[in-house]
């Protein structure tokens, strides 16, 4: 396994037990792409993969020759204008106005391990034996610029991480107007593209479309990755599904404006580009200055789309997320937001916390409204000191009272924003992002602080650090509730205004890094009006993210299902909220709300003091269930079984690494009558093991009487081969007439199956 360079054929072969990636140095000293896919045997020459022919109306690089046209050669990191007419991977404007470049191969390095990216989140290794890295150095002598293409192949994962670095070795400044993190030219277009799109409260809905000649793309121009499109796309063969067939994944480890684009030419070659969105982007590259692109991770699977997802899950959970909380099970929390909103006192919070402690909950989180003059959304943001009218003992006093109850304490911040009605804005009105002599748009009555300025980031760091140092805080929910408009920084000259979007994100990353280094014990959860910045860049700093502001259990089935295409279950903040739900006004049972929320970083978001005794008994059993199985849920292998986007019934399951334990979740949105008998094939089990299957229903008589009993009489044993080939019987009571003493089935019905291997 590793990376081999064939000097005679001038080819690089990156490979492990699962995949191969082959690059060729072309005769013009640029790089060609020969292959990415399932592992093939190493040999001395793959020239047969390099195809060319005379095509009329094309342009050719060498006089007297009608074969070498970059328009028809698959390339590794292409430019525009020297016989290639497709969208390029990069563009540099020079002082004479030219955009033409010629980066030629100079040298390369192959070594074990993986380098860090300066100022940017990225995957990592804990030893040099985990991965191998190839750095290919290219050089354009006319403009004196060096370009390094970086590839890391992980030994045990079907994944390659890619990024690029431009360095200006000359004395003249240059304008970088496009710098993609990766390009991949594929030899055909026989794929369906999968994207995760939506809007606030319905994030990451799964969308499919067949590749066609022309351009298919998703992007963000909002300053953050956004609710609308996630920085991830996948390609699958038409005959591939969740469990079989070829699929490719492309994921960008970045939290700002992005572009994911596939251009299919009229000869059916598909060019995949991913990186910072070139729209509105320029970067001034002065003498001896460099620009590092974010990292993109590409994945190959011959076991369907689930195979792509499982590779991302493991890689991002163990080699993107970092710190003390990476491998720890997450605490069960209660957040006061939907319980009180802004209407609370210290006494009210302590009453909720005491009730939560009695139910077995481990962490109390104080949300918005604790600081400055904050009594609604129009004031207080930026003034990160306690409102002593509400909290007479401050955050320090409240946090210690919570800890005296035997719970941990967490706190909400929205560090990137400011209200005009705040001391921060009154003292520094020039610290917001706004364009001179233009009106400034607001979002939620707030404005975006200019995190491209070091002094702004320094100021916020000092205020937050003071709170953390003086109080007992174990968890931070870092929110961000609006996008960037009127993008301009008063601190930058005119020729650097195209850098503001990227510099802003670098400032966010810098603040995260400084807080984590100073307070490594804190569990960070990122948030952006829910899922507006749920991206791999955030996972590097915060191992979990508030998945959506929509806490309705039924809508969350779709949201969490779509999110699982690339993000691990451990990263999804998932809470049980009140009914009727505050977003959809839907009435789902407390059991079903729990059954959905189990598959994430579990918690509650409701006023526990207003629940009945019976409801508290259900919560206590839910808390007990999570404590017993959260290690499995957080670290197991996740399988999507049935899509909520395609059926009234949906399902997923998680399996332990040793295949001895699994949990299946089964959801039916609307009830049906006299319905078919049903069964569902499971995955990931050991076909030779005998398993016990125990059911937890959301609407049996027992559960209506607050008795969730995983040791119920509904107990059966099956071999793994039966469960995977015949399927698990999921027939519910609506398949026949329900008897007076029998289990019933309703709308928003669900069931959990706990599966354990029996001892021999």
């Amino acid at each position: 396994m590793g990376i081999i360079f064939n000097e005679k054929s001038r080819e690089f072969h990156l490979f492990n037990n699962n995949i191969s990636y082959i690059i060729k140095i072309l005769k013009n000293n640029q790089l060609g792409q020969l292959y990415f896919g399932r592992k093939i045997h190493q040999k001395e020459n793959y020239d047969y993969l390099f195809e060319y022919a005379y095509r009329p109306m094309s342009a050719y690089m060498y006089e007297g020759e009608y074969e070498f046209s970059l328009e028809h050669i698959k390339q590794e990191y292409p430019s525009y204008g020297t016989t290639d007419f497709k969208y390029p991977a990069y563009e540099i404007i020079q002082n004479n106005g030219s955009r033409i470049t010629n980066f030629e191969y100079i040298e390369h390095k192959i070594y074990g391990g993986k380098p860090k990216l300066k100022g940017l989140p990225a995957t990592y290794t804990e030893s040099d034996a985990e991965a191998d890295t190839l750095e290919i150095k290219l050089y354009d002598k006319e403009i004196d610029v060096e370009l390094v293409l970086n590839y890391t192949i992980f030994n045990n994962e079907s994944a390659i991480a890619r990024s690029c670095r431009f360095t200006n070795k000359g004395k003249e400044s240059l304008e970088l107007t496009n710098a993609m993190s990766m390009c991949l030219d594929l030899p055909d277009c026989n794929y369906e593209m999968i994207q995760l799109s939506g809007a606030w409260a319905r994030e990451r809905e799964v969308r499919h479309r067949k590749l066609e000649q022309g351009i298919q793309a998703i992007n963000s121009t909002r300053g953050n990755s956004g609710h609308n499109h996630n920085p991830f796309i996948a390609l699958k063969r038409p005959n591939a599904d969740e469990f079989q067939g070829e699929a490719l994944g492309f994921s960008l480890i970045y939290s700002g404006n992005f572009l994911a684009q596939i251009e299919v030419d009229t000869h059916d070659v598909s060019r995949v580009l991913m990186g910072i969105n070139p729209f509105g982007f320029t970067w001034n590259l002065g003498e001896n200055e460099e620009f590092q692109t974010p990292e993109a991770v590409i994945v190959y699977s011959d076991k369907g789309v689930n195979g792509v997802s499982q590779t991302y899950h493991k890689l991002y959970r163990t080699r993107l997320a970092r710190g003390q909380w990476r491998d720890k099970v997450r605490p069960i929390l209660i957040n006061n937001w939907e319980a009180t909103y802004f209407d609370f006192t210290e006494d009210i919070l302590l009453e909720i916390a005491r009730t939560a402690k009695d139910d077995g909950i481990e962490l109390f989180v104080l949300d918005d409204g604790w600081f400055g003059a904050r009594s609604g959304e129009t004031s207080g943001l930026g003034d990160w000191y306690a409102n002593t009218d509400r909290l007479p003992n401050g955050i320090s006093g409240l946090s210690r009272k919570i800890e005296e109850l035997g719970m941990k304490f967490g706190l909400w911040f929205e560090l990137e924003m400011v209200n005009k009605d705040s001391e921060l804005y009154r003292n520094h009105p020039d610290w917001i992002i706004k364009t001179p002599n233009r009106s400034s748009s607001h979002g939620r009555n707030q404005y975006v602080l200019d995190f491209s300025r070091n002094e702004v980031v320094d100021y916020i760091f000092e205020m937050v650090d003071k709170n953390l140092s003086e109080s007992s805080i174990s968890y931070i929910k870092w929110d961000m509730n609006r996008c960037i408009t009127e993008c301009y920084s008063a601190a930058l000259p005119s020729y650097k205004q195209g850098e503001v979007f990227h510099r802003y994100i670098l400032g966010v990353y810098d603040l995260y890094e400084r807080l984590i280094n100073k307070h490594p014990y804190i569990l960070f959860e990122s948030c952006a009006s829910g899922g507006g910045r749920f991206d791999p860049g955030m996972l590097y700093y915060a191992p979990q993210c508030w998945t959506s502001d929509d806490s309705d259990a039924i809508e969350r089935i779709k949201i969490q299902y779509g999110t699982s295409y690339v993000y691990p279950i451990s990263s999804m903040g998932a809470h049980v909220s009140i009914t009727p739900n505050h977003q959809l006004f839907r009435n789902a049972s407390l059991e079903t709300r729990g059954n959905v929320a189990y598959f994430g970083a579990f918690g509650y978001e409701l006023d526990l003091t207003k629940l009945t005794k019976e409801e508290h008994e259900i919560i206590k059993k839910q808390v007990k269930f999570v404590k017993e199985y959260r290690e499995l849920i957080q670290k197991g292998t996740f399988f999507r079984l049935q899509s909520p986007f395609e059926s009234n019934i949906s399902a997923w399951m998680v399996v332990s690494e040793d295949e001895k334990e699994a949990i299946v979740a089964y959801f039916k949105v609307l009830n049906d009558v006299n319905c078919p008998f049903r069964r569902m094939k499971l995955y990931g089990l050991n076909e030779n093991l005998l398993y016990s299957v125990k059911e937890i229903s959301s609407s049996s008589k027992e559960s209506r009487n607050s008795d969730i009993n995983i040791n119920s009489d509904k107990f059966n044993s099956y071999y793994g081969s039966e469960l995977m080939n015949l399927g698990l019987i999921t027939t519910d009571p609506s398949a026949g007439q329900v008897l007076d003493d029998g289990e019933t089935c309703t709308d928003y019905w669900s069931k959990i199956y706990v599966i354990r291997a029996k001892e021999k």
Side-chain angles (χ1 to χ4, degrees), residues 331-341 343-357 360-368 370 391 394-395 397-412 472-477 523 575 602-609:
I332 301 170
L333 65 82
I334 175 69
N335 184 299
N336 75 298
W337 179 241
E338 290 192 12
T340 67
Y341 294 102
D343 187 16
F344 63 83
T345 64
E346 183 177 270
D347 288 341
I348 290 173
L349 299 178
L350 288 172
E351 184 181 4
I352 293 173
R354 280 190 288 268
T355 307
K357 172 61 179 175
I361 296 169
E362 300 160 315
L363 169 67
F364 177 86
V365 179
L366 173 57
D367 211 281
D368 196 356
W370 61 268
L391 304 175
I395 292 300
L398 176 62
S399 66
R400 288 181 172 83
K401 288 182 180 180
I402 295 295
E403 289 210 332
E404 287 171 3
L405 295 175
M407 301 180 73
K408 295 296 184 181
F409 179 76
L411 196 59
W412 179 95
S472 299
I473 298 174
S474 302
Y475 164 103
I476 288 177
K477 180 181 178 181
L523 170 60
H575 296 175
F602 183 82
Y604 292 89
E605 192 141 348
L606 44 76
D607 190 345
L608 293 170
T609 66

Side-chain angles (χ1 to χ4, degrees), residues 617-663:
E617 290 304 312
I618 295 173
I619 286 177
K620 288 176 182 178
K621 290 179 172 63
Q622 289 176 337
V623 168
K624 180 181 177 182
F625 180 87
V626 171
K627 289 179 179 179
E628 182 173 359
Y629 293 106
R630 59 185 164 186
E631 184 95 19
L632 166 61
I633 292 170
Q634 180 173 322
K635 300 179 182 179
T637 303
F638 186 80
F639 292 87
R640 292 180 299 274
L641 301 178
Q642 198 160 333
S643 172
F645 298 100
E646 299 173 1
S647 172
N648 183 53
I649 292 173
S650 56
W652 56 56
M653 68 182 293
V654 62
V655 184
S656 64
E657 188 173 352
D658 64 6
E659 302 175 344
K660 291 184 177 180
E661 200 168 30
I663 299 176

Side-chain angles (χ1 to χ4, degrees), residues 684-720:
L685 303 175
N686 186 317
E687 64 179 14
N688 297 314
L689 290 180
L690 185 65
Y691 293 94
S692 65
V693 178
K694 303 177 184 179
E695 302 177 6
I696 305 173
S697 174
S698 68
S699 57
S700 66
K701 279 196 170 184
E702 290 82 7
S703 62
R704 287 202 310 275
N705 292 320
S706 310
D707 184 14
I708 295 180
N709 181 9
I710 65 171
N711 296 309
S712 69
D713 294 332
K714 292 195 173 183
F715 173 86
N716 291 287
S717 297
Y718 309 92
Y719 281 100

Side-chain angles (χ1 to χ4, degrees), residues 394-465:
I395 292 300
S396 175
L398 176 62
S399 66
R400 288 181 172 83
K401 288 182 180 180
I402 295 295
E403 289 210 332
E404 287 171 3
L405 295 175
M407 301 180 73
K408 295 296 184 181
F409 179 76
L411 196 59
W412 179 95
F413 288 93
E414 190 170 3
L415 301 175
E416 302 159 59
M417 304 295 160
V418 66
N419 291 124
K420 286 189 174 181
D421 184 7
S422 67
E423 291 302 315
L424 174 57
Y425 182 82
R426 284 186 280 272
N427 292 332
H428 301 283
D430 61 320
W431 277 12
I432 67 170
I433 290 178
K434 62 178 180 179
T435 302
N437 304 315
R438 305 284 186 186
S439 61
S440 297
S441 306
H442 79 91
R444 206 172 175 240
N445 292 290
Q446 61 194 48
Y447 299 83
V448 183
L449 287 170
D450 186 357
F451 267 43
S452 72
R453 301 172 65 166
N454 292 333
E455 65 270 28
V456 176
V457 177
D458 290 343
Y459 179 87
I460 298 298
F461 170 78
E462 289 169 5
M463 293 195 76
V464 179
D465 179 52

Side-chain angles (χ1 to χ4, degrees), residues 95-162:
N95 283 346
N96 65 0
S98 172
R99 301 165 190 252
I100 301 302
T101 55
N102 182 35
F103 281 97
E104 298 186 61
Y105 169 81
I106 298 296
E107 62 183 3
H108 68 271
K109 292 193 298 184
I110 298 172
Y111 54 90
K114 187 176 186 296
K116 289 186 175 182
L117 300 188
K118 183 179 179 181
L120 286 166
T123 55
Y124 60 89
T125 57
E126 292 188 340
S127 75
D128 289 349
E130 290 183 5
D132 291 290
T133 293
L134 167 65
E135 291 185 4
I136 304 177
K137 183 183 293 186
L138 309 171
Y139 181 68
D140 187 323
K141 62 183 178 182
E142 182 66 28
I143 58 175
D144 203 8
V145 174
E146 178 183 283
L147 168 59
V148 176
L149 305 184
N150 188 292
Y151 304 78
T152 296
I153 182 167
F154 297 88
N155 292 341
N156 296 317
E157 304 296 339
S158 300
I160 295 175
R162 294 184 56 178

